[in-house]
Structures are given as structure tokens and as C-alpha cells.
Amino acid sequence: MKVLVVGNGGREHALAWKLLQSKQIEQVVCVPGNGGTASMERCQNLPLAVDDFEAIAQFAQQQGISLVVVGPEVPLARGITDFLTSRGLKVFGPTKAGAQIEASKAWAKALMQEAGIPTARSAVFTEVAAAKSYVKAQGVPIVVKADGLAAGKGVIVAETLEQAQAAIDAMFGGEFGSAGKFVVIEECLTGQEVSILALTDGLTIRPLLSAQDHKRIGEGDTGENTGGMGAYAPAPIATPELMAKIQARVLERAIATLRAKGIDYRGVLYAGLMINHSGDFKVLEFNCRFGDPETQVVLPLLETPLEDLILACVEQRLAQMPPITWKQGAAVTVVAASGGYPGVYEKGKVITGIEQAEALGTIVFHAGTKAFSGGSLGTRQQLVTDGGRVLNITGVGENFEQALAQAYNGIQCIHFENMYYRRDIGHRVR
Ligand code: AMP
Ligand code: GLY
């Protein structure tokens, strides 16, 4: 099989890495990929934009690609699956209609209400005055969300009325472009967040191992929200009893309601949940794709061949698959970021120490990296930073402590100018 993976993050490196563990996979092509995917055997990068559907379709048809796996939400929301499927390709990832579950928070809230899925109380607004008077009446803390895709930055958890009003002004003022045309205002929930990534063929839905990520830039989960600074799996808070409830009240209901709307959803349904102190939960958000960096800790523990599961989803025969099996133990990933991220940061810094980290048994997934020829080494290639989140240093162990130690031992080997990482990943479990 030849597989094409769309995207260029740590999640896509992890997907390609996992697929290549199977002898069935002859080659993986990453569009556009990164420095890590470029360096794996049987893997190559193809420098096309993720929304250049025509060029991707032509390449896939000419090269005999058997399966396309889509990583990020943006091409899904723009209809990559509809387009490539119409060209006769097999695609893992929901259609444009299904991707609304992430691309419109108002749409997702309406679906949750219709399906009876537990979620925060909320209201949708189209203009400033009504939104502000609602916030005044509800009081703070309160959560203000831009409706559309905003690369994880469209959610403000406002502690004061002034913050909430400023967020409303910014969203309607166009700070998030058309994503802010509608604004969802939501009750503020407290507790622990957990990410449940589930595979579905539109009829059957099966959860993968639970995971928790650390979204804030600062230690102690403080400071600005980021794409994620580290993660671990499984999440001890997601007990088998809780997982059974999530299966019945969230995953099954979501798929049944999507189907009732005529949406044939095949791909990952990712539920972000808040679990409160008494173990009750509510859905914060749905995503239409694998989580990043959750995927980097879930896939190293997966025993069932990934392509078998993905093909079963695409070919709508997930119900016939034996139960998904997992390695005993745990995985932890720590994100090495460029200093300044999630604000302004510099690119092009030389990265060293990856081989030393790998020699300790650590898995180093690349996110924002690229191979660069030139500079002091002339034509010899070196690896340089090319994004905010640069590397995901991942440890796998028989238990959480071992996995954590391996990830942090690995990161000690790695260096680039202004590298930043959190030293407290997994603090809830330590
Ligand atoms: P979302 O994109 O909806 O997941 O929001 C991003 C992050 O904002 C979540 O991971 C939470 O940390 C936070 N968040 C979203 N909704 C709420 C809520 N209703 N109450 C508290 N925090 C929230
Ligand atoms: N780790 C959060 C996300 O993938 O949205």
C-alpha cells in the first residue's frame, strides 16, 4: 500500500511513523511533511499546499495511492474529502458537512443539544450589544468563543466583565476574520480536561486510549493558550466506568445524530471533555481530526495496525474488527518550542542532539522543522527550526514515571537557540 498523509505537524509525523511500522505499507508520502517525515525510510515529502486539492488528486491518481489520511482541520473544513473521493480516492477524514462539528462551534452546540449530549449552557450572538448584555446578565467567569476555525486561539476564558467585553469587541471587530461573525458565549466549566479520540465509520464508533494535554504555555497551566505543550496517555481520570458513559452519552449520540442529518462521518471524532470533581462531564468541543499532540502519545501505545483500523473506517466495516489492542504502560510527550511562542518567535535555528535522544530510546516527532542546505556547513544538510512548536520528545514506558523520565532525559540532549519547554508535563499524575 502507498499512503498519502496530509499535513506537516508532529501529528502527521506520528501518523507516518506508525503506518511505516507495518510491512503492508510500501511508502508514505507527506504533503507537505516536515524535517522528520523527510528523514524516515520509505517516506518522502511532496511540497504541495494542503488545500491544493487538484494537485493532490493528480499526484495520488498517478502514483497509485491506496489511501489518503488527512491530519489538519482546515483542508477537511474546505472539503478535501469530498473532492478526493469524487476522484475515486479512499480518504480517511469527514466530508465538509461532517467537519462542521469543528469548523462551527454554533453548529456543534446545536448538534449536541439535538443529540442530548451533555455540554455547557450557551447562546449564539451576531452582534455586540446583545452579546454584552447577555454577559452582564450571566456574570463572570464566562467563556467567549469565535464560531469558526481560529487555530486554537478563538476561545477566551474571561475572569472579568472587561475581559469578556474586550473579547466580544475583538471577535465582532474582525480579529478572527469570518470566524468571528458568530460568537458563542458559554458557561465556564471547571475540572480536568480529557481528550477522547474515537475512530468511526459513520455507523460504529470506538474510542482510542484517553489522553490529556497541556494547552497553556506556562508551568502550572498558566499563561496563554497554545496548540498544546505536552500530553500523556492514558489519562488516569478516564476510568473504564467513565469511558463507558462517554461512549453511550457522547460518542454514540453524536454519530447517530450526524447520521440522522444525512452525514456519513468517517474519520476521527475527537471529544474534548471537562470532568468535574464528582465525575460528571460535559463536552467542551468536538474536533474532526486526530489531536495534536495527543496522537503522539496515543499511537506509540497502539498494537492493532493503524492502517487496518483506518481502512475499516473508510470501507465502513469497523463493527467487524476485533477489539483494538494496546501496549501496557504509558506515553508522555514534551513539546520543545521556539522562545516567544505562541507570540512572535524566530525560525531557522540549528537543532542538535536528536540522535542522542533517540539513542536513549526516546521517540522524537518533528513538528516545526525543516532540512536546510547551506550556511556554515555548505551543502551538507542540517536541521533547523521552522515553527513555534518544533519537536515532540516522546517517552514510552511500562508506567507513567518511566515514560516521563524517558521524555525528559531525551529533551536534555536536544538544543536549539531559545528552546523553551515546560518542566511540569503530567503534573496531575506525578
Ligand atoms: P475549545 O477550542 O472549545 O476546546 O476551547 C479551547 C480551550 O478553552 C479548552 O481546551 C478549554 O481549556 C477552554 N474552554 C473551552 N470552553 C470552556 C468552558 N466552557 N469552560 C471552561 N473552559 C473552556
Ligand atoms: N491538542 C488539542 C487539539 O488537537 O485540538
Side-chain angles (χ1 to χ4, degrees):
M1 270 175 82
K2 287 188 191 172
V3 183
L4 193 143
V5 173
V6 178
N8 66 348
R11 166 184 52 207
E12 287 76 23
H13 189 184
L15 285 164
W17 170 87
K18 187 70 198 174
L19 289 166
L20 285 165
Q21 286 179 357
S22 166
K23 293 213 171 58
Q24 280 194 79
I25 310 289
E26 187 186 325
Q27 194 190 24
V28 173
V29 179
C30 294
V31 177
N34 60 34
T37 53
S39 69
M40 283 191 294
E41 265 179 56
R42 290 183 287 140
C43 193
Q44 72 174 80
N45 288 350
L46 180 69
L48 293 175
V50 298
D51 56 1
D52 192 348
F53 301 162
E54 179 60 44
I56 294 173
Q58 275 185 23
F59 174 88
Q61 286 169 325
Q62 280 160 12
Q63 299 295 315
I65 295 287
S66 343
L67 172 68
V68 179
V69 181
V70 185
E73 63 278 15
V74 168
L76 291 167
R78 291 193 188 155
I80 190 171
T81 300
D82 312 64
F83 189 92
L84 297 182
T85 307
S86 76
R87 293 294 199 84
L89 293 158
K90 279 188 183 165
V91 187
F92 180 72
T95 57
K96 185 174 182 171
Q100 289 180 93
I101 205 157
E102 175 166 1
S104 167
K105 291 187 192 292
W107 193 88
K109 291 299 285 194
L111 179 121
M112 287 189 244
Q113 269 140 23
E114 195 180 327
I117 294 171
T119 187
R121 195 176 59 246
S122 70
V124 183
F125 296 91
T126 51
E127 51 98 18
V128 174
K132 285 189 177 171
S133 63
Y134 179 80
V135 163
K136 239 187 201 154
Q138 295 291 315
V140 287
I142 198 152
V143 184
V144 183
K145 301 183 172 186
D147 176 62
L149 295 179
K153 299 189 180 87
V155 175
I156 306 292
V157 180
E159 304 293 342
T160 65
L161 205 55
E162 291 70 36
Q163 280 173 352
Q165 287 169 338
I168 292 168
D169 284 330
M171 285 175 195
F172 284 123
E175 191 167 311
F176 298 98
S178 61
K181 241 173 85 185
F182 298 92
V183 170
V184 177
I185 299 182
E186 195 170 279
E187 157 196 19
C188 186
L189 303 174
T190 54
Q192 267 195 57
E193 283 182 51
V194 64
S195 304
I196 305 298
L197 280 51
L199 300 178
T200 180
D201 64 0
L203 300 172
T204 301
I205 183 158
R206 291 200 188 165
L208 300 176
L209 222 49
S210 60
Q212 262 178 315
D213 78 349
H214 292 271
K215 290 205 165 83
R216 305 294 191 94
I217 187 72
E219 284 166 16
D221 297 319
T222 55
E224 277 183 89
N225 256 324
T226 71
M229 293 303 294
Y232 48 95
I237 193 173
T239 58
E241 296 72 40
L242 188 68
M243 288 298 283
K245 285 186 193 159
I246 293 170
Q247 175 74 17
R249 295 183 199 164
V250 178
L251 303 179
E252 304 274 3
R253 287 180 188 176
I255 283 303
T257 307
L258 285 164
R259 218 173 48 241
K261 289 181 178 302
I263 296 174
D264 184 3
Y265 191 109
R266 304 183 195 191
V268 175
L269 182 66
Y270 161 154
L273 301 134
M274 186 75 91
I275 322 277
N276 75 9
H277 298 296
S278 35
D280 291 331
F281 58 84
K282 288 183 177 169
V283 173
L284 292 173
E285 60 167 342
F286 281 118
N287 294 319
C288 63
R289 52 170 173 86
F290 283 105
D292 188 345
E294 290 93 332
T295 303
Q296 291 87 307
V297 288
V298 169
L299 293 186
L301 296 169
L302 177 66
E303 265 180 1
T304 308
L306 179 61
E307 68 280 12
D308 291 354
L309 292 168
I310 287 182
L311 279 174
C313 290
V314 176
E315 293 165 2
Q316 209 161 60
R317 48 180 178 74
L318 190 58
Q320 284 106 60
M321 286 291 286
I324 301 173
T325 60
W326 299 96
K327 289 194 183 84
Q328 287 299 315
V332 175
T333 193
V334 180
V335 172
S338 300
Y341 171 81
V344 185
Y345 56 85
E346 290 176 7
K347 294 183 183 177
K349 309 289 183 196
V350 175
I351 305 167
T352 57
I354 291 181
E355 280 169 18
Q356 287 86 332
E358 287 172 343
L360 299 176
T362 314
I363 310 166
V364 180
F365 293 122
H366 295 220
T369 73
K370 70 172 182 193
F372 171 76
S373 311
S376 61
L377 290 181
T379 53
R380 228 176 84 205
Q381 283 215 327
Q382 42 188 340
L383 190 73
V384 298
T385 66
D386 193 39
R389 291 189 294 168
V390 177
L391 297 168
N392 309 144
I393 293 90
T394 309
V396 181
E398 280 167 26
N399 53 43
F400 174 79
E401 289 72 25
Q402 275 186 14
L404 187 74
Q406 196 179 58
Y408 277 104
N409 288 338
I411 209 166
Q412 314 284 307
C413 304
I414 291 179
H415 178 80
F416 56 86
E417 199 185 311
N418 295 334
M419 175 169 119
Y420 168 79
Y421 63 91
R422 278 182 57 172
R423 285 155 215 272
D424 68 338
I425 297 304
H427 65 80
R428 287 188 205 88
V429 198
R430 288 189 195 189

